[in-house]
Amino acid sequence: SQPQQNYDQNDIEEFLTSEAVVKAMESKTAGWNELSLKAPEVMSIGTTTVSTPSITGANGYSTILGNFVDSQIGMAPKPENFILPLVTVETQVGTENIWWTERNNEEGDAEFIGEGDLKPLVSAKWETFKSDVKEVADFWKMTNRLMNHAPSVVSEFRTHAQELVEQKIDDQLVTGDGIGNNLKGIALCASAFVVPAQLAASYIDANIWDAINAALITVKLANFNPSVVVLNTVWEAKMKSIKATDGTYLVPQFVTPDGKTISGVRVVFTNKLSDAKLLVGDLKKYNVIFSENITFAQGWENDDFKKNMTSFKLEAFLGAYCKSTDAGAIIYDDIATIIAAIDKP
């Protein structure tokens, strides 16, 4: 028996009524007339062994198929900014120069005296200092066709451009060298660690927790109140990996289980600080003044109009400073240097 096939009835009728078949039947002429019947193909999406795809499209894409289109544009991640919430920030629009005054050269002291005795003389001097406002900016161009045909790209790239400005501000406020157009970062304002005599070579097997505590005490001995400890993100794992010889995890009583508070002081982990460095102290003693927050503008330059292009820019103006009278409020140094100074041989 032959496999059952679904023949088209119209094809059979058309064959039987064809001129050749009719004449053969009327003349009773012996012979053969062939009818080729084609079975319908299996309709499919992908290529199979029994049929070719019924639905095709450019690069495999078809508008009649159920497709999911991810509207989110992929992008490389940027490190999280961290410094602005930890320092003193003020905005005074239109500021061109930053001025501040310090009282120094203090001499004399109060004393208890007898009746009629000469009062002790005290004195001081006041000195005024200046810090310049610096500009941070970026700039880009787009064709009008791109802007009209892909509006999501326009807004997405502006977000990227603003993030670049914010990243640069954060970086400069941490480690800016103050040279030329660069800001004076908090690392430059901070003091190096100078071990107090009572703590020198006093810690047996000194580790990271000891280094942090020694730095906190040094800030307190300078009559400041430390508010935050800043470490590279890798220390969040390294501190939690400290174990006894039997493999038991060791966490001092002055450290919270999550490792984010040490001796009552908050710890901030960031990818922006070198893993060799420790930043600790009263970071509010570092001052940031915004003359203009990040502003956006667009327009034409040169022959942009004739070329159907538009130019864009983002810019901000700010300055940063620290007072010499606040020396010792912030410590920034190598962790290895601090450990070496306090470790007991």
Side-chain angles (χ1 to χ4, degrees), residues 131-314:
S131 179
D132 295 329
V133 169
K134 306 295 179 71
E135 179 182 4
V136 56
D138 57 17
F139 171 84
W140 67 100
K141 282 179 179 286
M142 286 185 172
T143 64
N144 295 345
R145 182 177 182 183
L146 173 64
M147 294 165 58
N148 291 331
H149 292 190
S152 62
V153 170
V154 179
S155 59
E156 193 275 338
F157 192 83
R158 176 178 170 177
T159 299
H160 168 66
Q162 178 151 339
E163 288 176 348
L164 292 178
V165 172
E166 293 170 347
Q167 287 279 324
K168 186 58 64 176
I169 291 173
D170 197 74
D171 293 342
Q172 283 280 302
L173 292 177
V174 178
T175 56
D177 58 15
I179 298 174
N181 295 324
N182 294 334
L183 295 172
K184 184 177 182 180
I186 195 170
L188 201 60
C189 287
S191 303
F193 177 77
V194 178
V195 61
Q198 301 91 331
L199 300 182
S202 63
Y203 288 80
I204 299 175
D205 296 328
N207 59 22
I208 182 63
W209 291 316
D210 301 322
I212 293 171
N213 269 326
L216 290 172
I217 292 299
T218 302
V219 172
K220 291 180 179 180
L221 290 173
N223 299 318
F224 297 100
N225 294 313
S227 58
V228 67
V229 174
V230 183
L231 289 166
N232 181 274
T233 304
V234 74
W235 281 103
E236 188 170 5
K238 292 179 71 173
M239 290 193 297
K240 292 178 181 178
S241 68
I242 298 176
K243 303 176 184 178
T245 54
D246 63 356
T248 303
Y249 286 97
L250 300 176
V251 179
Q253 294 180 346
F254 55 83
V255 180
T256 56
D258 62 3
K260 294 186 177 180
T261 303
I262 298 178
S263 295
V265 178
R266 180 165 65 108
V267 181
V268 172
F269 296 103
T270 175
N271 293 345
K272 292 201 168 186
L273 199 68
S274 166
D275 63 356
K277 296 291 187 179
L278 171 65
L279 176 64
V280 60
D282 183 0
L283 272 59
K284 291 295 184 180
K285 298 298 183 183
Y286 181 69
N287 303 277
V288 179
I289 309 299
F290 278 88
S291 174
E292 293 181 27
N293 287 312
I294 299 175
T295 57
F296 169 79
Q298 68 182 71
W300 296 315
E301 67 167 5
N302 301 326
D303 56 355
D304 279 358
F305 179 77
K306 291 191 295 183
K307 292 183 176 180
N308 282 336
M309 293 193 299
T310 302
S311 298
F312 304 88
K313 67 175 181 177
L314 285 169

Side-chain angles (χ1 to χ4, degrees), residues 19-82:
E19 183 179 356
V21 173
V22 171
K23 287 183 177 180
M25 294 177 66
E26 289 177 349
S27 63
K28 299 181 181 181
T29 303
W32 294 92
N33 288 283
E34 293 184 355
L35 169 63
S36 296
L37 297 174
K38 183 178 181 182
E41 290 186 349
V42 176
M43 292 178 287
S44 65
I45 293 176
T47 302
T48 67
T49 56
V50 297
S51 67
T52 55
S54 301
I55 302 175
T56 59
N59 298 320
Y61 178 81
S62 173
T63 57
I64 62 175
L65 289 175
N67 297 294
F68 172 78
V69 179
D70 186 348
S71 60
Q72 298 297 316
I73 299 174
M75 64 194 75
K78 299 178 177 67
E80 185 176 356
N81 297 323
F82 80 98

